[in-house]
Amino acid sequence: MSSDISYVTYTLLAVVAGLIFVPVFLDGEPDGPPMALLHQSSVGPTRHKNESAIHRSRETPVGFPLRQGLGIQEGYSKRNGDVRDIWRVFMQKIGHLHTILGNDKVVHSIDTLDAEIDTLGHYISGLPTNSQRKAIAVYLPNSAENLIAGFEACAFHDFTFVPIEYPAEPEIIADKLRASNAEILIMPAASLDINDLNVSTLLKHVILVVEEGSRHLDFAADPDAKVTLKEWHDIAANGQKATRPEKIDESQPHMIVFSKDLKLQKAVTVPYSHVNIVAAVSAQATAPAPKDQFKPTDIFTPASTLADQFTRILTYTAMLSGCTITINAVTPPSGSLQSSCGNALPSIIVVPADSLSDIGRLSKAAQVEIFHEWMHVYQLRKLTRYGQVPQHSAFARFNDYDRPNLGRNLRLIYVAENPAEGTKPITCNRLNDIRAIFFSKVVYALTYPPAAAGAITQTTSFDYRPGEDTATFNESHLGAPLSCVEVKLRDAGEYTAEHEDGPMGEIVIAGPSVTSSGEYATGIIARWRSDGCLSMGSKA
Amino acid sequence: MADPIRPLIVETTKIMEAQPPAITEAIPLVTPLNLFLFSLAAYLIYMRFKPSPIPTIDAPEPIVYTAYTPRTLLKYNGTDDPRILLALKGKVFDVSSKPMFYGPGASYSLFAGRDASRGLAKGVLDQSLLTPLDQKLDTLEDLTADERETLQGWFDQFVGKYLVVGELVNEGEEGTVQEKQ
C-alpha cells in the first residue's frame, strides 16, 4: 500500500504529530497542583448535632494546635512574640520603606524612623491624660508616619492605637474619638478644625504631621487652640529619646477597630490584642503556596487605607517578610488604582473589594472589538484549562488600553470581602477576569472585623476554577480557613448542617486571632462546599 | 522524387498514434490511512477544546457526636451493627478500625457496646465487671489508685488511637450533653 502515501498523508501526519508533541513542549505546568484544590481544608471527623464539622487550614489539621504567634527563635526555644517583633524583624531583614509623593519616591531611613518611635514615645508618655492607659487616635492618610504611629503608639510604648479612616467628615471623627475615649490625636496639619472636635470629645493633645514643603509655617502656634498642639517633625528633630519599656501589658487592647456588628445591627469598637494581631500576621505569612509567599524581593503597596485592619495585617506580614513597603497617600476608592500604585511598580497589592470589582466590570465593558474579546477568552482559557496566569505578550497588549497600568512586577493581589461593610461578593468568574486583566494571581479573603483580626478564610493563590453561573445564582467562594482560626457553621433557621446542598448555617469561629476568648458567632450565613471552601453565594 | 513533406507526416502520425506513456495512477484523496489520520487529528483537536468538568471529591460524612445510654450503646457490638463502639470514663470511642480486638469472637469482644471502664481498670475480662443495663452508670469511685492509673493509661491510649464519637449518660439525660456544648 506504499503507493497510497501522498502529500495529503504527509500533511496529516505532521498535523497529528504537532497536536501530540506541541502541547508537551508549550503547555507548561499549572501554577499549583490541581488535586490540592479538591481538599482545601482539614475537616473534623465528628460534629455536634446542630453544627457542621470543624474546618481548619491544612497547615494545622484538627487535633493539632492552631498557629499562635510569630515563632521567634530565641536560643533553643520559640516564643509567640508581639507586634514589636514585627518591626524588629523588619529592621533585621533590612526591609525598606518608601513613600510615593506624586512622581517622586522618598526613601526613608529605617534608623531615623526607629529613632522617631522613641522621640514620639517620650513626648506622648509625658502628656497628661485622665485615663491610665493612653489611647492615640491616628487620623492620617497612608504614610510612613501612619505606620510608625502604629508601632510607636501601640507596640513599643504600650499605648492603645486607634486608626481612623482618612478622609472622613468631622462628625464621624468625633464619633470615633468618643467611642474610643482617645485623648491624643495625630492628624495632618490644617485638615480639621480641632476646636470643633474638642467640644464633644475628651481630646486634649494633638500632634500635627506637616508635609516637608510647609514646615516653615508654625502650625503649633494657634492662640485659639483649646488643646496642646505639637508638630511631628519638631518632636522628631528636638525631642528626647525614651527608653523602650522591656515588658508590655499583653492583656490590654493594642488596637481599636471600628466596624459594624451584623447581629446587633450597630457600630461597634473592637479591641484587638497583641495575640490577635500576631496570630493573624503569622497565619497570613504562611497561607499562600510556598512560591507565592512574601519574599524580601517583593515590593508591597497597600492600595487601601491602612485604617482597614486587613490591609494593616497584610502590611505587617510584608514587613515580617522583609519586603520593600511602598506607601502612597492616594488609595482607592477616593483615587484610582493606577494613581495609587502605578509609580511604585508593586509586586503585591491590597485593594478594596468594591474598587477591584469595578475595575473588573469596567475593563470587561471596554472590550469593544471582537479581537479584544478573543484575547480575553484565550487568557481565561489559559487560567481555567491550564491553571496558569496569562503572561504579558505582544498580543495581550491589544487589551492594554482598558486596564490600569501597574507595571510588570505585579504578581499577587489581595482583596477582602467584608460583610460588615456590605461589599458585594466577587464571583469566581469575575476573579478570573481580574486575573486576566492584571496578569496576576488574586487571593480573595473573608474578613469580619468584629470577629477576628485579619482574614478568616481565603482562597488558594492558584485556584482558578471557573464558576458555574446560572440565571439566578453566581458561584463564588472564599476558600479555606487560615491556620489561626477554626470555622464551623451552626444551624440557623432553614440553614442546617444536614442541608441537601451541603452543610449550611451561621459562621462560628474560634482561635487565637478571634477577639473573644471562646467561640464567636458572626451571624453570617454560609455553606461548606465539598472541596472544603466556604461559600456565601451571590445572586445574579 | 521524394516528397520532402512525407517523412515529416509519417513521423508526426507515428507520434500521434503512439500509445500515451503510462501515467501512474493518481492516488485518491480518500484512502483508509488518510481517513484514519484525519479522524485522529479531529479527535485530538476535540480533546483540546472539549470543556473539561471540574473534578470534585465527596468528603466523608462526619459522625454526629451523640449522647448514648447503656441501652442505645449495646447495639454497636459488631454483630447487630457493623460499627463497634465502647465507653471508657464516660466517653464513647469508635473502635471499628480494630475488629481483631473488639469484633465478635475477638479477645476484648465482651467490651463492644458496653462500658469497659471497670474491666480495663482491673485488667480482668469478665462479664461480672460490666454494669448491668438496668443500673445507673458506674461512677468508679471504689477503684484503688493503681487501678485509676491503669484506667487513665487506657484512656490516653484510646484518645490517641480512636475517635471520640459521643458520651455515655444515664437514661433520660441525653438532652444535657447538647446543652453543655
Side-chain angles (χ1 to χ4, degrees):
Chain A
M1 294 287 285
S2 62
S3 62
D4 273 3
I5 296 175
S6 69
Y7 64 97
V8 178
T9 319
Y10 289 122
T11 313
L12 281 171
L13 261 175
V15 167
V16 167
L19 281 169
I20 291 171
F21 290 108
V22 168
V24 173
F25 295 111
L26 294 189
D27 272 4
E29 290 280 301
D31 290 341
M35 296 312 272
L37 297 174
L38 304 185
H39 274 308
Q40 298 198 29
S41 50
S42 154
V43 184
T46 58
R47 67 177 180 89
H48 287 289
K49 202 172 173 193
N50 54 355
E51 290 169 355
S52 77
I54 284 173
H55 283 56
R56 287 227 202 155
S57 163
R58 293 189 59 188
E59 297 168 54
T60 52
V62 180
F64 288 83
L66 290 167
R67 200 175 293 281
Q68 297 280 345
L70 302 171
I72 305 275
Q73 191 83 35
E74 206 159 71
Y76 292 111
S77 61
K78 282 191 173 178
R79 62 186 175 84
N80 288 342
D82 51 53
V83 177
R84 296 179 296 174
D85 290 303
I86 297 169
W87 179 258
R88 288 186 193 133
V89 171
F90 182 59
M91 287 187 71
Q92 214 173 48
K93 291 194 174 170
I94 320 176
H96 299 279
L97 185 62
H98 300 169
T99 312
I100 301 279
L101 298 171
N103 284 330
D104 299 332
K105 186 159 80 177
V106 180
V107 180
H108 295 276
S109 148
I110 301 296
D111 292 327
T112 312
L113 293 177
D114 194 47
E116 281 183 19
I117 290 178
D118 292 333
T119 47
L120 264 118
H122 181 262
Y123 175 73
I124 292 170
S125 306
L127 293 175
T129 51
N130 289 342
S131 57
Q132 197 66 37
R133 189 182 168 81
K134 294 187 170 75
I136 302 168
V138 177
Y139 173 67
L140 288 175
N142 284 4
S143 59
E145 283 86 7
N146 189 335
L147 206 57
I148 289 302
F151 283 106
E152 158 263 315
C154 35
F156 283 102
H157 296 279
D158 205 10
F159 311 130
T160 305
F161 173 49
V162 185
I164 298 177
E165 191 172 343
Y166 185 100
E169 298 293 317
E171 300 85 57
I172 293 170
I173 299 166
D175 280 345
K176 290 184 172 175
L177 287 175
R178 234 173 293 140
S180 59
N181 291 328
E183 295 176 55
I184 303 165
L185 174 68
I186 303 178
M187 62 168 231
S191 65
L192 285 173
D193 189 349
I194 301 149
N195 291 341
D196 280 357
L197 293 178
N198 193 23
V199 176
S200 57
T201 61
L202 297 169
L203 192 64
K204 289 196 179 57
H205 312 285
V206 173
I207 297 170
L208 298 169
V209 176
V210 187
E211 59 184 275
E212 203 142 9
S214 313
R215 288 191 183 165
H216 59 285
L217 298 170
D218 191 2
F219 287 96
D222 183 356
D224 302 333
K226 298 188 185 94
V227 295
T228 55
L229 292 173
K230 191 86 175 168
E231 287 156 331
W232 177 297
H233 62 270
D234 184 23
I235 302 169
N238 308 322
Q240 262 187 309
K241 274 193 178 184
T243 45
R244 297 175 181 177
E246 277 290 300
K247 281 219 154 151
I248 53 166
D249 191 357
E250 287 198 16
S251 61
Q252 293 291 326
H254 155 79
M255 177 164 147
I256 292 196
V257 171
F258 301 97
S259 185
K260 190 180 159 204
D261 192 313
L262 291 176
K263 263 195 158 166
L264 306 172
Q265 281 299 324
K266 63 167 193 176
V268 284
T269 56
V270 194
Y272 286 175
S273 67
H274 278 270
V275 178
N276 292 154
I277 292 182
V278 161
V281 167
S282 60
Q284 191 60 257
T286 55
K291 68 175 175 181
D292 294 330
Q293 286 175 4
F294 291 59
K295 292 177 192 70
T297 47
D298 277 319
I299 299 169
F300 175 83
T301 299
S304 164
T305 165
L306 279 172
D308 170 44
Q309 55 94 18
F310 179 71
T311 312
R312 201 153 191 113
I313 296 276
L314 273 167
T315 311
Y316 286 180
T317 312
M319 294 179 80
L320 188 72
S321 315
C323 303
T324 300
I325 315 287
T326 310
I327 299 180
N328 191 343
V330 181
T331 53
S334 52
S336 77
L337 184 61
Q338 181 163 341
S339 57
S340 168
C341 48
N343 284 335
L345 302 179
S347 59
I348 304 175
I349 59 174
V350 195
V351 190
D354 283 346
S355 308
L356 191 68
S357 182
D358 281 350
I359 291 167
R361 198 162 46 80
L362 297 175
S363 300
K364 196 86 193 302
Q367 293 167 1
V368 184
E369 303 291 346
I370 190 83
F371 54 85
H372 292 141
E373 224 155 285
W374 284 349
M375 195 62 227
H376 192 71
V377 165
Y378 168 75
Q379 290 178 334
L380 287 185
R381 188 176 146 76
K382 199 93 181 138
L383 277 163
T384 55
R385 174 97 188 192
Y386 300 106
Q388 295 159 0
V389 164
Q391 302 285 312
H392 288 273
S393 70
F395 288 115
R397 293 187 62 183
F398 278 143
N399 292 11
D400 259 4
Y401 72 96
D402 66 2
R403 61 176 135 232
N405 179 12
L406 305 186
R408 289 186 166 215
N409 286 342
L410 190 67
R411 67 177 182 90
L412 200 54
I413 298 174
Y414 276 91
V415 56
E417 165 78 20
N418 183 354
E421 279 174 16
T423 48
K424 197 165 183 282
I426 308 180
T427 61
C428 298
N429 289 340
R430 173 71 75 222
L431 282 174
N432 274 346
D433 287 343
I434 293 166
R435 286 183 186 108
I437 289 164
F438 286 104
F439 304 103
S440 160
K441 295 175 182 178
V442 180
V443 170
Y444 183 43
L446 166 70
T447 59
Y448 185 55
I456 297 167
T457 65
Q458 72 182 27
T459 55
T460 312
S461 50
F462 53 86
D463 185 356
Y464 317 133
R465 292 171 298 171
E468 277 166 20
D469 295 348
T470 65
T472 54
F473 186 81
N474 286 345
E475 196 174 344
S476 77
H477 75 84
L478 292 146
L482 260 75
S483 54
C484 59
V485 283
E486 56 181 36
V487 185
K488 60 186 175 188
L489 302 178
R490 185 171 290 157
D491 291 3
E494 62 190 296
Y495 307 105
T496 65
E498 278 124 26
H499 200 280
E500 58 195 17
D501 296 335
M504 290 190 192
E506 166 193 14
I507 300 174
V508 178
I509 61 174
S513 74
V514 178
T515 50
S516 63
S517 59
E519 290 175 345
Y520 188 105
T522 58
I524 305 162
I525 302 294
R527 175 177 71 89
W528 287 122
R529 306 186 346 158
S530 64
D531 56 3
C533 291
L534 193 72
S535 163
M536 277 169 53
S538 172
K539 293 224 165 65
Chain B
M1 181 182 163
D3 184 355
I5 307 299
R6 183 82 192 162
L8 278 178
I9 290 172
V10 170
E11 281 302 303
T12 315
T13 316
K14 267 187 191 166
I15 290 168
M16 287 177 74
E17 286 176 355
Q19 284 288 321
I23 299 166
T24 44
E25 197 186 332
I27 301 165
L29 198 63
V30 184
T31 65
L33 183 63
N34 284 3
L35 269 182
F36 170 74
L37 286 174
F38 180 77
S39 50
L40 189 61
Y43 174 73
L44 287 172
I45 290 169
Y46 167 73
M47 287 305 281
R48 239 174 127 62
F49 287 93
K50 181 181 74 142
S52 62
I54 305 167
T56 51
I57 298 178
D58 278 332
E61 197 64 29
I63 301 164
V64 181
Y65 194 87
T66 326
Y68 293 94
T69 65
R71 279 182 207 283
T72 53
L73 188 65
L74 187 64
K75 184 171 79 145
Y76 301 100
N77 58 5
T79 36
D80 307 339
D81 191 294
R83 281 177 76 196
I84 309 173
L85 305 184
L86 66 78
L88 199 63
K89 285 183 77 179
K91 297 277 180 210
V92 175
F93 292 88
D94 191 333
V95 295
S96 316
S97 56
K98 292 281 160 62
M100 59 284 227
F101 295 143
Y102 306 100
S107 46
Y108 291 90
S109 66
L110 81 158
F111 291 142
R114 301 301 294 266
D115 182 1
S117 312
R118 185 167 289 270
L120 288 176
K122 293 197 184 287
V124 181
L125 299 175
D126 190 3
Q127 283 286 348
S128 66
L129 290 177
L130 296 175
T131 318
L133 293 179
D134 45 4
Q135 279 182 21
K136 285 266 179 195
L137 287 187
D138 194 347
T139 54
L140 305 169
E141 272 165 5
D142 55 328
L143 293 184
T144 65
D146 255 8
E147 288 166 353
R148 275 172 204 282
E149 206 177 297
T150 318
L151 182 59
Q152 190 58 42
W154 276 103
F155 186 78
D156 293 344
Q157 194 191 338
F158 268 62
V159 167
K161 254 173 141 172
Y162 305 114
L163 203 59
V164 181
V165 294
E167 286 176 30
L168 190 66
V169 294
N170 283 313
E171 253 160 76
E173 291 175 8
E174 292 94 326
T176 58
V177 174
Q178 245 348 291
E179 286 158 24
K180 265 192 293 178
Q181 297 302 326

